[in-house]
Each structure stands twice: as structure tokens, then as C-alpha cells.
Amino acid sequence: MLPLARRQLHKRWSALGQPCARLRPIQFVRFVAHRQLDLPVLDIKWQGRWAKRAVDPVARVRYGGGGNPKPKAYVLPMFPYPSGNLHMGHFRVYTISDVLSRFKRLQGHKVLHPMGWDAFGLPAENAAIERQIDPATWTDLNIANMKKQLLAMNSQFDWHREIRTCDPDFFKHTQELFLKLHRRGLAYQAEAVVNYDPIDRTVLANEQVDSNGLSWRSGANVEKQLRRQWFLRITAFKEALLNDLEYLSQDDRWPARIISMQRNWLGRSQGATIKFQILGEEQIIPVETIQVFTTRPDTLHGVQYLALSLSHPLVKTLSPQLPDLRAFIESAPSMPPGSKAGFLLPRVRASNPLSKLANPGEYCNELPVFVAPYVLDYGQKAVMGVPGHDSRDFAFWKLHSNGLNIRRVIEPTSVGQSDVTGNSSLTSAFEDTGVLASTCGAYASLSSEEASKRIIAALGDSAGESETWKLRDWLISRQRYWGTPIPIIHCPKCGAQPVPREQLPVTLPSRVSDGQSSTVAEHDENWLRTECPACGGQATRETDTMDTFMDSSWYFMRFADPENKVSLVSKEASERYLPVDIYIGGIEHAILHLLYARFISKFLATSSGWPSDGRASNRGEPFLRVISQGMVHGKTYSDPQSGRFLKPEELDLLSPSDPQIKSTGTSPNISWEKMSKSKHNGVDPISCISRYGADITRAHMLFQAPVNQVLEWDEERIVGVERWFIRVWRYYTHPQEAAAFLISDLRKRSSHPPAWAKPRSLERSEWTLLECQFRRMMKIGRDQFKEHELKAWIQVQKAIRSVTKSFSETFTLNTVISDLMELSNALILPRRYQLGWQMEYHCWSAFFRMLAPVAPAFAEECWERVHGLCKSIATPKTSIFDERWPVEDGSLEILESRGQACSVQENGKFRFSIKIERPPEGLHEASDIEELKAWAVNQIQGSEQGKRFLEGKVFDALHIARNGRAVNFVSPKVRKEEERNRREDSFGSSIDV
């Protein structure tokens, strides 16, 4: 660009005012080129207006307050941890929630769409220790930054309801909730072998340790330690938590995947408890039996050993006597995940209970007893090892049996297959059911099901039907500073005493003193020492804090009544807002967070804490519908030689379709991976918003993938959505396009609109074609609109039906964008097919109201512009979101029924069939044959198939019959008198074409 031109550009740029002065030169070029469509500028304009309305009490009433009864809609995204910056995962979930809440508002609901902060937790404390500052200071800075970013994405949250879990006004009620549980006996302290994270220096719940034995946050190998901890008795609600999953699965309220994950985590198993007699010296073995739960009593003949967990009572008793056992237990935390290590207890054997029965079978000898880390610390903490019919037991026995045979006592088909009953060279276990082998004595040839019943009955007191659950009580103790203090006081005389309610909240020490401490006790001795509420003597506070999942297990209730100083939520507020209607969040919270929230909700529903949900209709469930959005993946580049992930600065991306590694000139491997810093594939959503505007970024986010699927974020594709916005904008605002026709026509007609266009029974802002135009058209018996106008209205009605269903039932938000694109293409017609002013107004009014949830600033601007030119036709409300969602007016079925099938023939031979419009009323063969033929030719030429058929052909005559349902084109070569007469007899009179 020449220096003079550059100076002129910057001069014009600065003249546009302060909002545009914030734009980069390339943005200004787009600002001018797109005829002043610059969405970042529109974002600034409308964010300011929305902020003003948010503090305006009158505007707040318009947004859903006031005394008029309205159906409520509580739309809630999972609140974020204030990490400092939004990532694309945040942007996706909050876009979804904002779109749905705006849709509900347009439908006339009283919408609750709040935002808060999951502010406690290890990351904030670790960051504060690293920076030598108070975690509260660090958290507040992050919240302020993320709040600005949320506003930048054109979101509309109820900020006057904002909460922070680190606020004493909030965690006061978390402590009160703990005391409610404590009074009911559902909160207790007990010693247990716990998962200890050596990096974060805190205890983890079982749910916070992955299948490989690694911490869910730090990734450290979790150690097993014996500690005294606080638990919540979630198992007291296990039946309700499991049974009510059926209620949540009805009508697809919750995704099937989440229902399955919760059911598997609860883990109810039907089976039998079997007692194995212990053989050994009485002074060494203090117990007589070991109880084992199994779901396969039919495999009892195949038991070859017993295995005990590290915390089994017998192991605890023997470990002081056996140094080797103590060393084995101490080394267990360092063993790799899935280890099949085992310790054989000396002088301890077990007896198979089948040995007491007559004709028990061949394999009922004494069994060795092992201590094995693979045995889980729940249920009976013991398993019976059946190597022939369990793959886990198979691997363990192969390692510890010294080549002994593996017994198979279940046959897949029939008796007599000797190759399945004893073979040390077997390579796998047979885990299916079948029939018992001939070596099983009196039970041979019985099916697995029948044998299980007979064996349990025959063993008498040594066995019984029972069930077991995988679910364990919720361990909430955390040995960290930045969390909700557990409101318990420990007195040497009185024991653990709850803090009196009037002394809540128990707050944290004000600051981290040394920057290295991890527990509350290490921070403030004055805070630690207190008086016993029972006897008044010297006592100490509980130094553990609560798991942050405790805060998130009830925070959604607080949004309904955030200013309440007395209780978690008032009866009136709970009646008005709870439960949550739509809950949006990631699949990573499908088990922990949702399960804990269900537990707390069901507990509160049995108390005065949630009085409105004592009814059976909702069964105490907190979330009526859950939407689980997929992850966001980014384009990832890696070195083909080393596999190392490449940073953007290591790549030449001038040609996006052919990237190159700068150092080698070779092409990198390209894949789509979960966005992370280590893979250098993260995308800052705010940078995308600054380039394209929030509305385009939102629409692109929704358009790229269904809500529940992985989204591969590719910014190169965003230009498609950008072009769509520009096309709509140019058509709607460019003076040489259809908008000029609309505006001029409105100005001419606005002073004297037709009387039938403003029915007295409706407000002018609530016109619909059904009342204003369509009924009138049908009543007077003649068309008020042209065919292309009716086609446009058909597209509008179809779009209303499809988009409404996507927003309210299927939540396929990607199809919303495609439906609106299709509708806008149908409305942007060539000049010769321009819509009349009535149809133009109503079609585009419906379009922008449907677009508004997705692109609020763009829709607001277009709404304001068109109503600024036609105030005398319709008085607009302040915002498009004060209007109502468009609804179907019943015309779609009537208009579509106007079509009819048309059989097209050439010289009497059938060529194809198409659907055409019905002839206008009064146009038929008897009176207007020539006009009818001309109409039929236009209809056929209007279809792609008809256009190809007629192209380049010459016909002498055209015959039409059945009021346009059959059309025959006659060529000159076959125009003979006989054929002419015959065709005239069957098709009526003819004319030359």
C-alpha cells in the first residue's frame, strides 16, 4: 500500500470513533469491505447495552421477573474452576448453555441461567505456594479475568446470582450440610487404608484414582496409607441411586452412556457368600473362616487358592508376626498397576466347603492362601481363585503355582470333553457359563444356573445368596489448606464434637505463612486451639478440609437463593426454580460429580433442606436432563522421525494445506488430539473472537459437530460461517439489494396499511401470517401472494419446526445452523422474485428470532435496523429477546397440500413425474385452457428435471389433462391427424407451442 493511501486509511479509521480505534488495520479493511459489518465492533456495542439492561430493574422484570406467572427454565452449565483463562472446552459448554437459555427466554420462560466458581482446590493452592501469595488472592485474579472472557463471548448469565465456593457466605452452608449429615449418622470418622498422593500431599477418594493407580490430578503413583478419615455414608442411598437411573433414562433425560457409567460404578452384583474353613494352629490363626463373595458358585469345584486384600483382618493380625509379610505390604504401593504379585501365608490353609458333602467331586483338597494387591479393599476383601474360569485368577496362578494343573470344571457344550478338565498348558480361562464336567461328582452335567442353586442349598450355613456393591462410602477428608474446613472440634474428654450452628462458618487462617505448608494446622496455632462446645475445656479443631466435590454437590441449589443467610435454600426459592431443567457439562464428570450431587439431593429431599422435592414425582433427582458435550480436539503436528509434538513457531504454515517443518523442510504428521499445552495444539478462544467476533465463533463452534461428539476445531473452516453472515448482512442492508425494495415499499405503505393487516385481537408485535394474512387469503378465495412467496413461507414454517425441535428435544444444535443457512438462501431471492413487503417482514422477522440465540449481537443489530425504518408499521420492543419465539401457524400442511403429481410425456410416452403446485383457483381446462397450459409449462421448467428435458427441444403442440396432472409434449415428426385426434380425445383441446 502507498504511504499516502496508508495515511488516508488510518485517517478514516480513526474518524470512525473509539470502538474502531481498537481494531487492527486488517480488521479495519474487513470493516470497510464488508459494508460496516464488523462483529467485534457490534459485540462491544451490544455488550454495553446488555450490561446496562442487567442493572436496570425495569429491564430485569422484562427478562422474566414481575408478577405474571411464567413457566420456569433453569439452564445450568457446570461451573468452572478459575484457572485464569478460558479454553475451547469452556467456550463450547458455555455457548451451548447460553444458546439454550436464550431460546427458553424467547419462548416466554422465566429463565435462570447463573454462573459461579468452583474456587477451592489443589491447583490454586499449589499455584499460590509457587508464587508465595495467598490462594484467595490468586483465585480472585483468575475469576476477574475469566469473567471478562465470558462477557466477551456474548454470554448472558445472571451475574447478580454469582457465587464462589471459597466465599464464607457459601461454605458456611457447606459446613451446615456436613453437620446435617453428621446428626443423621451419615458423616463419620474411621481408620482406613487410603490413597495418598505424594505430590499433592493429600488423600484421594477411590474415584480420584484411575485404573492404573495414578492420581487424577498430579499423575503420581498413589500410595496406600492407614489414616483416620472422614466419610459420608453414600452407601445408605445406594438402592435409590441405582433404581432411579431407570427414571433418568426415560425419554432420554440423561445420556445412555452416563446411565451405564453410573450403574457400573454402583456395581450391584447378585451372587453368594461362601465360607471357607481355615486350617492352622489356633495361636497363629485367630479366625475360623474366610468369607468370599462370588457371582459364580457353579465354579466352586475349580477353586485352587484364596487371595486376601492388604487390609483383610487376617492380614492385619498376621503382619506383626511375619516380617516378610510386613515388608510385602510396605512395598505394595510401588508395584506397577495390575501387578499379580502375591505373598503365600505360611502355615495357613483353607478347606473347600464342598469337601463336607457326599460325592463332592475330585477337586476338594486344601487350598493355599495368598495376600495379593489385586484384591480390592471392599466387600469381603477376599476372593476365591478359579484360574480355569477367570482371566485375572488365571494370570495369578500361572505365576505362583509352580506348574500345577489348571482345573476347568465348566464345559461349553456337553459332558465328556476331557481336554477342559485339567491341563497346565492352557493359554486362557473359559469364562462363559455351560454345564459342569464329569469331575464335579453329583453336580456333573447340570447347567451353571441349576448347579449354583443346588450347591448353595447343599452347603447350608456355609453359603447363602447375597449381593455386593462396588460403591464405597465417600471419603471427603483432604489434608490441604485451600478448602472448606470440616466443622468438628476434638476434645480429649468428649471426643469429636460438632461446631455449634451459631459459630458457623469456621473460616480458614487469613494467609499462607510460609508458602510451603499443606495443612491448616501448619498455618495458625491460634486458629487450631479452641474450646470444646460440650465441656468448655481445651480442644483442637479438625485440620482436614473437605473434598471440593462436597461444594459442587449442592451449589446448583444455592443459585436459586444466593442471598439467603439462614439456610441453603428457602422453600419458596426451591419451589420456584428446583430442580435444574437442563444441565450441561463434560463426560469426565459423569461419575463423581453427578453421583455425589444425586446423593446430596436425595438426602436433602428427606429433610427440610429441600422441602419442595419431598414429592415422588422427581424422586429427589437434581437434574431433569443432562447434556454431555464432547471434547474439543485441536490440529496437532508431530515430527515423523521422533514423534515429538511441534510448536507453532517450528512450522511453516504459510500454506495451511501443505505445512512444513522449518528445520528439515519435511511435512509433519497431522492428527487431531485433545487440546493440551504439552501437544502445543491449544487455541485461545478470545483470539478467535477478536478476529471474527463472538457470534461467528459461536456459530462455527455449534456447526462443526453435534453437541455430544468430539469437535475438531479448525479455524480455517470458519470462513464458511463468516460468508453466510456477510451475505445476510449485505442483503439486509445494502441499498441495491432486496432491503431497498423492502424499505421503500414500507415507507410508501406505512401510513395506510391494509385494514386486514392489523387485527384488533392481537398486539402489533405479535402478528402472524395465520391471523393477518393467510386466513384472509383463504376466506376471500383468491391468492394474496405469489407462488415464490408461498414457497418462501413454506421454508419459514419448516425451519420453525426443525429449529424448535433441535433446541427443545434433540439438542442437535449443528442442524440449527444448517437449517438457518438453508432458510436464508431461500429468502435471498433474485430481484425478479422479490417478496412483497408483508411477506418480507414476517419471513425475516422469524429468521432473526431463530438466529438470535446463536448470534445475539448480530440479530439485535439487524432487528434494530429494520424496525428503525418501519416504526409506524410495527412498534419494536427494546430487544429482540423481548419478542416471542416464532411458532408454526398451521399453514405448512395447507400450503404443501397445494402440490400435486404431474406426469410428463413426450409423444404419448411417459418420461418422468414431478411434483408441481396446484393450479390457482378458477384456472382449469374448461375455461382457461391456454392460461393453464402456460402455467403448466412454467411449473415444469421451474424444476431441474423439467429444465433438462425441455432444453434444446421444439414441440408443435402440448396437451394437458386432469387439471395439470398429465402433460404431453408433441414433436413435429409425429404430428399426424390420427394421433392428434386420439390425443385430443384423451387430453382435451390442443394448441401449438
Side-chain angles (χ1 to χ4, degrees):
M1 182 182 295
L2 296 175
L4 179 61
R6 188 188 300 272
R7 288 196 299 271
Q8 291 174 342
L9 178 62
H10 280 275
K11 183 178 180 180
R12 293 179 60 194
W13 180 18
S14 302
L16 290 173
Q18 182 62 30
C20 298
R22 294 163 53 182
L23 304 177
R24 297 191 301 274
I26 186 63
Q27 287 181 306
F28 176 71
V29 171
R30 186 187 296 120
F31 183 89
V32 175
H34 292 171
R35 307 189 187 281
Q36 298 186 349
L37 172 61
D38 195 293
L39 287 174
V41 174
L42 292 186
D43 291 343
I44 296 170
K45 170 184 175 179
W46 286 101
Q47 286 165 13
R49 291 199 185 181
W50 295 330
K52 183 178 179 180
R53 286 171 57 85
V55 298
D56 178 6
V58 177
R60 189 175 295 179
V61 170
R62 286 199 299 266
Y63 270 96
N68 295 331
K70 296 182 179 180
K72 68 98 175 178
Y74 187 176
V75 181
L76 180 66
M78 293 182 182
F79 67 165
Y81 169 75
S83 58
N85 289 288
L86 289 179
H87 54 67
M88 276 297 176
H90 288 131
F91 189 88
R92 190 179 195 192
V93 66
Y94 300 132
T95 295
I96 295 168
S97 74
D98 191 64
V99 165
L100 294 178
S101 68
R102 289 179 182 273
F103 163 71
K104 290 294 185 181
R105 182 167 286 121
L106 282 165
Q107 278 196 317
H109 289 77
K110 183 178 179 63
V111 176
L112 178 62
H113 185 224
M115 176 52 65
W117 309 95
D118 193 9
F120 274 138
L122 289 174
E125 184 175 353
N126 290 341
I129 291 173
E130 181 181 347
R131 293 164 176 80
Q132 296 289 303
I133 62 174
D134 193 323
T137 302
W138 173 251
T139 300
D140 289 343
L141 292 172
N142 289 345
I143 288 176
N145 185 53
M146 292 181 71
K147 188 172 181 179
K148 290 180 181 178
Q149 294 175 324
L150 285 173
L151 292 171
M153 60 178 286
N154 287 349
S155 61
Q156 190 178 61
F157 291 104
D158 298 329
W159 289 109
H160 59 286
R161 295 179 180 269
E162 181 182 5
I163 62 173
R164 307 180 184 196
T165 59
C166 64
D167 187 338
D169 288 338
F170 178 87
F171 68 71
K172 167 188 175 180
H173 299 290
T174 305
Q175 293 172 340
E176 183 181 351
L177 174 59
F178 175 89
L179 295 179
K180 286 177 179 285
L181 291 159
H182 188 266
R183 287 193 292 270
R184 289 271 296 272
L186 298 175
Y188 65 95
Q189 195 175 27
E191 280 195 350
V193 175
V194 297
N195 307 304
Y196 186 76
D197 186 326
I199 293 180
D200 284 332
R201 293 184 292 172
T202 188
V203 167
L204 304 175
N206 289 332
E207 298 90 339
Q208 294 168 329
V209 181
D210 66 18
S211 58
N212 296 320
L214 303 180
S215 169
W216 74 305
R217 279 197 182 275
S218 70
N221 284 314
V222 173
E223 301 174 357
K224 298 290 185 179
Q225 295 186 4
L226 184 64
R227 287 175 175 257
R228 191 164 182 80
Q229 305 289 299
W230 283 97
F231 295 84
L232 298 185
R233 208 179 301 276
I234 189 175
T235 52
F237 288 79
K238 59 187 179 184
E239 294 284 352
L241 291 171
L242 179 63
N243 295 338
D244 289 344
L245 290 176
E246 292 297 327
Y247 165 75
L248 296 176
S249 65
Q250 295 173 8
D251 302 322
D252 295 325
R253 290 188 177 99
W254 283 36
R257 181 183 177 189
I258 292 181
I259 294 290
S260 177
M261 293 170 72
Q262 293 236 337
R263 183 175 284 113
N264 292 337
W265 189 258
L266 293 167
R268 181 171 67 181
S269 300
Q270 299 289 342
T273 299
I274 300 176
K275 297 178 181 179
F276 288 79
Q277 189 75 27
I278 297 301
L279 308 175
E281 301 176 14
E282 292 184 2
Q283 63 273 22
I284 298 176
I285 310 300
V287 298
E288 296 182 355
T289 61
I290 292 177
Q291 295 189 42
V292 173
F293 175 82
T294 179
T295 59
R296 293 291 301 275
D298 57 318
T299 63
L300 189 57
H301 290 85
V303 177
Q304 296 186 260
Y305 69 93
L306 297 185
L308 310 179
S309 74
L310 301 180
S311 62
H312 191 279
L314 179 58
V315 177
K316 290 181 179 180
T317 302
L318 295 179
S319 58
Q321 308 172 29
L322 302 173
D324 290 345
L325 176 58
R326 289 200 305 274
F328 178 80
I329 294 173
E330 293 171 359
S331 66
S334 62
M335 295 177 184
S339 172
K340 294 301 183 288
F343 180 87
L344 178 63
L345 292 176
R347 294 180 292 174
V348 178
R349 309 289 284 179
S351 173
N352 192 319
L354 287 173
S355 60
K356 301 185 299 182
L357 304 180
N359 191 16
E362 297 181 9
Y363 302 118
C364 293
N365 51 321
E366 295 180 358
L367 307 172
V369 180
F370 291 87
V371 178
Y374 84 86
V375 181
L376 300 180
D377 290 322
Y378 73 87
Q380 306 295 342
K381 301 182 180 181
V383 299
M384 62 182 202
V386 188
H389 302 287
D390 186 281
S391 57
R392 182 187 57 180
D393 299 344
F394 181 92
F396 184 88
W397 188 243
K398 275 285 188 181
L399 184 63
H400 298 283
S401 65
N402 296 321
L404 294 179
N405 283 350
I406 294 176
R407 305 172 191 162
R408 286 195 176 177
V409 297
I410 305 295
E411 297 176 344
T413 53
S414 59
V415 181
Q417 297 184 0
S418 59
D419 59 328
V420 300
T421 57
N423 192 338
S424 61
S425 62
L426 293 175
T427 59
S428 63
F430 176 69
E431 298 185 302
D432 294 335
T433 57
V435 295
L436 272 65
S438 58
T439 54
C440 296
Y443 305 97
S445 302
L446 293 177
S447 68
S448 292
E449 183 179 359
E450 182 64 23
S452 295
K453 294 178 181 179
R454 293 195 184 187
I455 289 172
I456 293 172
L459 291 178
D461 294 340
S462 296
E465 293 183 355
S466 65
E467 66 178 21
T468 188
W469 295 72
K470 181 182 176 182
L471 179 69
R472 305 268 62 80
D473 281 342
W474 178 10
L475 190 158
I476 65 165
S477 291
R478 297 294 180 268
Q479 291 70 46
R480 300 295 294 196
Y481 167 80
W482 192 235
T484 300
I486 295 177
I488 292 292
I489 295 173
H490 295 280
C491 176
K493 297 180 181 179
C494 307
Q497 296 294 315
V499 173
R501 190 173 186 271
E502 60 271 14
Q503 296 181 16
L504 297 180
V506 178
T507 59
L508 289 166
S510 59
R511 60 184 298 273
V512 180
S513 57
D514 58 8
Q516 297 296 325
S517 301
S518 60
T519 66
V520 172
E522 296 171 2
H523 290 290
D524 193 334
E525 191 70 17
N526 293 329
W527 178 92
L528 182 64
R529 305 299 176 186
T530 187
E531 293 183 355
C532 173
C535 68
Q538 287 291 324
T540 59
R541 296 190 186 278
E542 173 61 61
T543 59
D544 285 355
T545 53
M546 296 187 206
D547 180 10
T548 54
F549 278 114
M550 187 68 177
D551 301 313
S552 62
S553 68
W554 75 277
Y555 80 104
F556 49 90
M557 295 183 176
R558 188 62 178 172
F559 282 130
D561 198 9
E563 304 297 330
N564 195 320
K565 303 292 185 182
V566 179
S567 59
L568 282 73
V569 58
S570 67
K571 178 179 179 181
E572 295 75 18
S574 62
E575 289 282 358
R576 181 178 301 175
Y577 292 112
L578 298 177
V580 177
D581 293 287
I582 302 176
Y583 196 42
I584 306 109
I587 194 68
E588 63 271 18
H589 298 296
I591 296 178
L592 301 182
H593 165 56
L594 292 180
L595 187 65
Y596 295 153
R598 295 181 63 215
F599 160 57
I600 294 299
S601 296
K602 288 181 180 298
F603 162 70
L604 290 175
T606 64
S607 69
S608 60
W610 190 5
S612 68
D613 202 58
R615 52 185 178 269
S617 60
N618 189 48
R619 307 188 186 185
E621 290 293 339
F623 313 118
L624 293 183
R625 183 179 289 275
V626 170
I627 299 175
S628 178
Q629 89 281 358
M631 291 184 176
V632 182
H633 288 185
K635 185 178 287 188
T636 310
Y637 301 93
S638 59
D639 191 317
Q641 299 297 327
S642 63
R644 180 178 63 88
F645 294 111
L646 300 173
K647 299 178 181 179
E649 55 265 26
E650 297 179 84
L651 297 164
D652 181 359
L653 299 174
L654 292 178
S655 176
S657 61
D658 185 25
Q660 301 292 323
I661 303 175
K662 291 180 180 179
S663 59
T664 62
T666 58
S667 298
N669 291 332
I670 302 176
S671 60
W672 295 92
E673 308 283 348
K674 180 183 177 182
M675 289 185 179
S676 67
K677 293 180 180 178
S678 62
K679 297 176 182 177
H680 314 295
N681 63 348
V683 176
D684 180 9
I686 302 303
S687 65
C688 188
I689 288 174
S690 66
R691 286 194 295 273
Y692 300 100
D695 288 353
I696 289 179
T697 308
R698 287 160 60 110
H700 178 64
M701 172 72 75
L702 298 175
F703 186 46
Q704 286 302 296
V707 166
N708 59 352
Q709 294 183 15
V710 169
L711 169 64
E712 295 181 350
W713 179 262
D714 188 355
E715 199 167 304
E716 296 172 17
R717 301 177 186 172
I718 202 171
V719 295
V721 175
E722 184 182 33
R723 288 170 183 163
W724 173 48
F725 274 72
I726 292 170
R727 188 180 182 203
V728 172
W729 178 264
R730 284 179 173 174
Y731 178 85
Y732 212 63
T733 60
H734 195 281
Q736 295 180 358
E737 295 291 347
F741 173 80
L742 169 63
I743 293 167
S744 62
D745 214 5
L746 283 173
R747 285 173 175 166
K748 286 187 294 185
R749 298 172 183 264
S750 59
S751 58
H752 301 288
W756 54 266
K758 294 189 296 182
R760 298 180 181 275
S761 60
L762 295 174
E763 295 181 8
R764 286 185 293 179
S765 60
E766 295 180 342
W767 294 354
T768 66
L769 283 181
L770 180 59
E771 288 83 5
C772 300
Q773 300 164 349
F774 194 75
R775 281 185 178 174
R776 177 65 177 174
M777 179 183 71
M778 301 302 292
K779 181 178 179 181
I780 64 178
R782 61 184 180 85
D783 288 327
Q784 294 287 333
F785 304 106
K786 299 176 183 178
E787 291 297 328
H788 67 272
E789 291 182 310
L790 294 178
K791 288 181 180 179
W793 189 245
I794 287 175
Q795 291 297 323
V796 170
Q797 294 298 297
K798 287 182 177 179
I800 292 173
R801 176 178 297 178
S802 178
V803 172
T804 303
K805 183 177 181 180
S806 296
F807 274 137
S808 58
E809 298 179 24
T810 62
F811 303 105
T812 51
L813 303 186
N814 57 315
T815 64
V816 169
I817 309 301
S818 59
D819 287 338
L820 293 177
M821 286 180 173
E822 183 179 351
L823 176 58
S824 64
N825 292 337
L827 298 182
I828 300 176
L829 298 168
R831 186 57 182 266
R832 65 180 180 274
Y833 292 125
Q834 280 302 323
L835 303 177
W837 70 272
Q838 303 102 326
M839 186 67 74
E840 182 92 20
Y841 174 79
H842 288 288
C843 287
W844 283 104
S845 170
F847 171 80
F848 284 118
R849 280 180 284 162
M850 289 187 285
L851 180 65
V854 176
F858 181 75
E860 290 267 36
E861 183 70 16
C862 293
W863 191 259
E864 181 183 62
R865 283 176 176 253
V866 69
H867 285 94
L869 296 168
C870 55
K871 290 181 179 178
S872 57
I873 287 293
T875 303
K877 296 183 180 178
T878 307
S879 168
I880 193 172
F881 294 101
D882 291 325
E883 299 289 341
R884 285 299 182 95
W885 183 258
V887 295
E888 292 184 76
D889 63 10
S891 63
L892 180 59
E893 289 74 14
I894 300 174
L895 291 173
E896 285 192 324
S897 67
R898 297 175 73 251
Q900 62 184 22
C902 176
S903 173
V904 180
Q905 302 178 21
E906 182 181 8
N907 299 325
K909 295 182 179 180
F910 175 79
R911 296 304 184 193
F912 58 89
S913 178
I914 60 172
K915 188 174 182 179
I916 62 174
E917 298 292 336
R918 287 185 177 181
E921 188 174 348
L923 187 63
H924 49 79
E925 301 101 309
S927 60
D928 301 301
I929 186 61
E930 302 301 328
E931 188 176 349
L932 178 62
K933 289 180 179 181
W935 172 86
V937 171
N938 287 333
Q939 287 289 315
I940 295 171
Q941 285 180 328
S943 68
E944 289 294 329
Q945 199 171 6
K947 186 177 180 180
R948 290 194 303 267
F949 170 72
L950 295 174
E951 187 175 4
K953 294 184 179 179
V954 178
F955 297 98
D956 272 357
L958 177 142
H959 306 295
I960 188 166
R962 293 185 293 160
N963 208 28
R965 289 183 175 83
V967 179
N968 181 35
F969 292 91
V970 182
S971 63
K973 295 182 180 181
V974 294
R975 191 181 181 189
K976 297 179 180 179
E977 190 64 29
E978 310 83 45
E979 189 142 332
R980 183 183 185 90
N981 294 335
R982 183 176 62 82
R983 285 187 171 83
E984 286 180 354
D985 290 340
S986 59
F987 284 92
S989 62
S990 65
I991 63 168
D992 292 343
V993 181

